[in-house]
């Protein structure tokens, strides 16, 4: 199927989905991935393999940058769990975390934990090797903790990928490390070891603790006296990826897969595809699962692997059982704000007006699964605020937080006569924040170079 055919097919699918929910006599519609105000995806952009921590009143999500990794990690921070700011930590980088045995794989799959010594440690995959860094806080500064050497080299077990390390700190302060994946989407193996108090050396030899149906992405959860090794199975580029779990009596197993595994998998009815590589955290008394899933609409054309991060409640029993997860397009999280800061309400028009999938309204629907993405060439996006009113600035969430976008901002009181209030220039980040104190009914973003794609445009 060519790109144009794929676009027509996906557009037809979306129009059919929209029409299905409009008739009063129609059967109750399921949750819609493109409904305005959806809280999932949690982050605006393509990210995977998330690790989440809370410290000093702030949330931190470390993640792989898609497509398929980058030379750096992505770091999202938030004071309220809903409005996130993007950055890239100084460490690790592909250049800094390399060894004579490193492969060409990018920076993937961070795990960030606080140790008994009160310092923070990051275990991260670079070049199919495991590296470890340390920092005084999740905000950094991060630095290599092992003298410029990988903690687990590619040669440790060359029949498997030495990736997806996840640290677990038990209630007694002892720490453990789990890692491992398979080659060519088969034959995954999980290795585990107790860490020394310095969090850098091993306290004993690593063990192979692979449970049934394991492929990659281990994450340890403790419930009562049970140790729950959760993990991913399947292929993250297809719709087979899922989360399974196995139960053990010690952090090093042995582990027996639970009878109700898997607990999170593709749901056609909910438009959730390929969920996995997760983290489990608690906020208040409730447990949650943070995971990536395929970006929508799906399937996509080309070879890009694009994933997005979502969060849903998780039920963990004292007997070591985990309940089935109902993947959602928006969920309340204890300790998170009930909604994102949308700014002023506005009505959209501009380039791509006739496109139901990527039209201008997608930049004003408060949903990070939907995108305004005009065709190639100069583009514009117009916001109608309904009446002349004071505005102070804009916050833009571009499709890729790591890429440059050239745009300017114009204002108008009548929609006919326009005044430049922000000159055209290159911007990067998420949100891209620009100041423009003025009185206007209309604001217009102009993208002269044709690179234009926004999850959301918030006007203050």
């Amino acid at each position: 199927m060519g790109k144009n055919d794929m676009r027509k097919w996906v557009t037809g699918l979306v129009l059919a989905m929209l029409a299905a929910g409009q008739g009063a006599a129609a059967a109750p519609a399921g949750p819609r991935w493109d409904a305005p105000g959806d809280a999932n995806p949690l982050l605006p952009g393509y990210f995977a393999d998330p690790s989440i921590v809370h410290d000093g009143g702030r949330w931190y999500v470390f993640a792989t940058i898609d497509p398929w990794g980058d030379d750096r990690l992505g770091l999202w921070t938030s004071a309220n769990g809903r409005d996130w700011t993007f950055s890239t930590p100084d460490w690790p980088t592909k250049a800094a975390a390399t060894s004579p045995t490193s492969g060409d794989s990018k920076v993937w799959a961070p795990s960030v934990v606080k140790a008994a010594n009160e310092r923070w440690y990051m275990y991260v995959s670079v070049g199919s090797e495991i590296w470890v860094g340390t920092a005084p806080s999740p905000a950094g500064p991060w630095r290599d903790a092992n003298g410029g050497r990988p903690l687990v080299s590619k040669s440790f077990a060359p029949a498997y990928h030495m990736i997806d390390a996840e640290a677990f700190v038990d209630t007694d302060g002892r720490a453990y490390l789990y890692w491992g994946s398979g080659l060519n989407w088969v034959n995954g193996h999980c290795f585990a070891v107790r860490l020394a108090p310095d969090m850098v050396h091993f306290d004993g030899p690593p063990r192979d603790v692979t449970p049934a149906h394991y492929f990659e992405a281990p994450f340890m959860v403790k419930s009562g006296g049970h140790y729950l090794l959760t993990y991913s199975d399947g292929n993250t580029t297809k719709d087979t990826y899922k989360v399974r779990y196995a139960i053990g009596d010690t952090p090093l197993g042995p582990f027996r897969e639970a009878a109700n595994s898997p607990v999170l998998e593709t749901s056609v009815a909910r438009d959730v595809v390929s969920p996995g590589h997760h983290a489990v955290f608690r906020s208040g008394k409730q447990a949650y699962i943070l995971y990536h899933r395929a970006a929508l609409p799906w399937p996509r054309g080309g070879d890009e692997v694009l994933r997005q991060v979502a969060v849903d409640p998780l039920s963990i029993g004292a007997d070591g059982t985990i309940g089935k997860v109902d993947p959602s397009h928006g969920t309340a999280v204890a300790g998170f704000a009930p909604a994102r800061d949308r700014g002023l309400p506005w009505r959209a028009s501009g380039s791509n007006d006739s496109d139901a999938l990527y039209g201008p309204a997608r930049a004003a629907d408060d949903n990070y699964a939907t995108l305004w993405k005009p065709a190639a060439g100069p583009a514009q996006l117009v916001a109608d605020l309904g009446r002349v009113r004071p505005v102070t600035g804009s916050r833009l969430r571009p499709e890729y937080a790591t890429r440059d976008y050239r745009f300017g901002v114009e204002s108008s009181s009548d929609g006919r006569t326009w005044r430049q209030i922000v000159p055209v220039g290159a911007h990067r980040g998420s949100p891209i924040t620009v100041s423009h104190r003025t009185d206007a009914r209309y604001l217009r973003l102009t993208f002269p170079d044709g690179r234009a794609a926004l999850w959301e445009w918030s006007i203050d």
Side-chain angles (χ1 to χ4, degrees):
M1 183 181 289
K3 288 185 178 179
N4 290 335
D5 293 334
M6 174 66 75
R7 187 180 180 91
K8 290 178 182 178
W9 180 85
V10 171
T11 301
L13 174 63
V14 172
L15 290 172
M17 290 167 55
L18 294 174
Q22 290 176 352
R32 283 226 319 265
W33 68 274
D34 64 341
D38 280 352
N40 274 332
L42 181 68
L43 305 175
Y46 306 122
F47 297 88
D49 317 328
S51 178
I52 185 170
V53 296
H54 188 252
D55 183 63
R58 296 192 65 81
W59 293 95
Y60 299 81
V61 173
F62 298 79
T64 301
I65 299 172
D66 267 348
W68 215 237
D70 193 90
D71 287 347
R72 294 179 179 271
L73 281 178
L75 170 59
W76 291 90
T77 61
S78 175
N80 65 9
R82 291 297 179 197
D83 299 297
W84 297 86
T85 299
F86 178 78
S87 64
T88 54
D90 290 339
W91 187 93
T93 66
K94 176 66 175 172
T98 187
S99 79
T101 56
S102 292
D104 59 2
S105 299
K106 296 287 191 175
V107 181
W108 293 342
S111 167
V112 177
V113 296
K114 189 176 186 180
N117 63 12
E118 298 297 311
R119 286 192 65 84
W120 293 82
Y121 291 85
M122 179 195 299
Y123 302 85
V124 60
S125 307
V126 189
S128 292
E129 298 184 316
I130 306 301
W131 292 73
V132 56
T134 186
S137 84
W142 288 94
R143 62 172 178 79
D144 183 278
N146 194 35
R149 302 181 304 275
L151 183 62
V152 181
S153 71
K154 187 178 179 181
S155 58
F156 172 81
Y160 313 103
H161 269 316
M162 298 296 98
I163 62 172
D164 292 358
E166 190 67 45
F168 164 69
V169 180
D170 206 344
T171 49
D172 61 5
R174 295 177 179 177
Y176 301 82
L177 192 69
Y178 306 83
W179 74 91
S181 179
L183 299 176
N184 301 316
W185 304 108
V186 296
N187 198 30
H189 270 243
C190 182
F191 301 94
V193 71
R194 181 174 163 181
L195 291 169
D198 66 5
M199 300 293 286
V200 175
H201 296 92
F202 293 166
D203 186 3
R207 305 183 189 182
D208 187 331
V209 298
T210 307
H213 303 110
Y214 174 93
F215 181 68
E216 63 185 9
F219 191 97
M220 176 56 69
V221 180
K222 188 177 184 180
S223 179
H226 303 283
Y227 292 86
L228 315 180
L229 183 63
T230 62
Y231 48 95
S232 293
D233 176 29
N235 185 330
T236 192
T237 70
K238 303 183 184 300
D239 60 0
T240 59
Y241 212 50
K242 62 183 71 71
V243 175
R244 296 180 178 271
Y245 77 108
I247 304 173
D249 298 322
T250 77
L252 298 175
F255 297 101
R256 54 197 180 277
E257 187 175 15
N260 69 328
S261 176
V263 291
L264 175 59
E265 55 192 321
T266 291
S267 172
V268 174
R270 292 173 177 266
D271 297 302
V272 171
V273 180
S274 197
H277 202 130
H278 60 289
V280 176
F281 71 101
R282 289 187 177 272
S283 187
K285 296 181 179 180
Q286 176 64 49
Y288 297 89
I289 184 168
L290 186 76
Y291 60 98
H292 73 236
R293 58 201 198 190
L296 295 173
W298 194 89
R300 309 182 73 90
D303 298 326
E304 284 190 324
V305 177
L306 298 176
R307 297 160 292 183
Q308 293 187 286
V309 173
V311 60
D312 280 302
L314 189 68
S315 173
I316 306 174
D319 61 352
T321 57
I322 297 177
K324 294 281 187 179
V325 178
D326 292 323
S328 77
H329 298 294
T331 187
V333 177
F336 283 18
R340 293 182 283 258
D341 178 9
R342 296 189 60 183
L344 300 172
W346 57 280
R347 188 173 58 188
S349 62
S351 303
N352 246 34
D353 251 333
S354 62
D355 193 320
L357 183 59
Y358 294 115
R362 297 303 195 182
D365 64 357
D366 190 31
N367 184 337
Y368 292 158
T370 61
L371 189 69
W372 171 64
K373 191 169 185 178
Q380 63 180 28
L381 180 62
V382 179
D384 180 356
L385 297 168
R387 59 179 174 83
V388 174
R389 61 193 307 164
V391 293
T392 60
S394 292
R395 289 171 285 127
L396 279 65
R397 301 284 190 176
E399 182 178 20
Y400 293 96
T402 56
R403 300 181 184 179
D404 287 337
Y405 294 83
R406 292 189 73 248
F407 65 86
V409 186
E410 300 171 331
S411 69
S412 173
S413 295
D414 57 12
R416 297 184 297 273
T417 304
W418 294 89
R419 179 171 64 93
Q420 189 89 43
I421 57 175
V422 177
V424 172
H427 303 266
R428 177 183 294 199
S430 184
I432 295 171
T433 302
V434 290
S435 298
H436 47 68
R437 291 185 177 273
T438 189
D439 292 337
R441 172 173 174 173
Y442 300 93
L443 294 177
R444 183 165 69 185
L445 297 174
T446 59
F447 294 82
D449 300 338
R451 176 180 284 181
L454 293 177
W455 301 108
E456 293 295 319
W457 177 15
S458 301
I459 300 171
D460 299 319

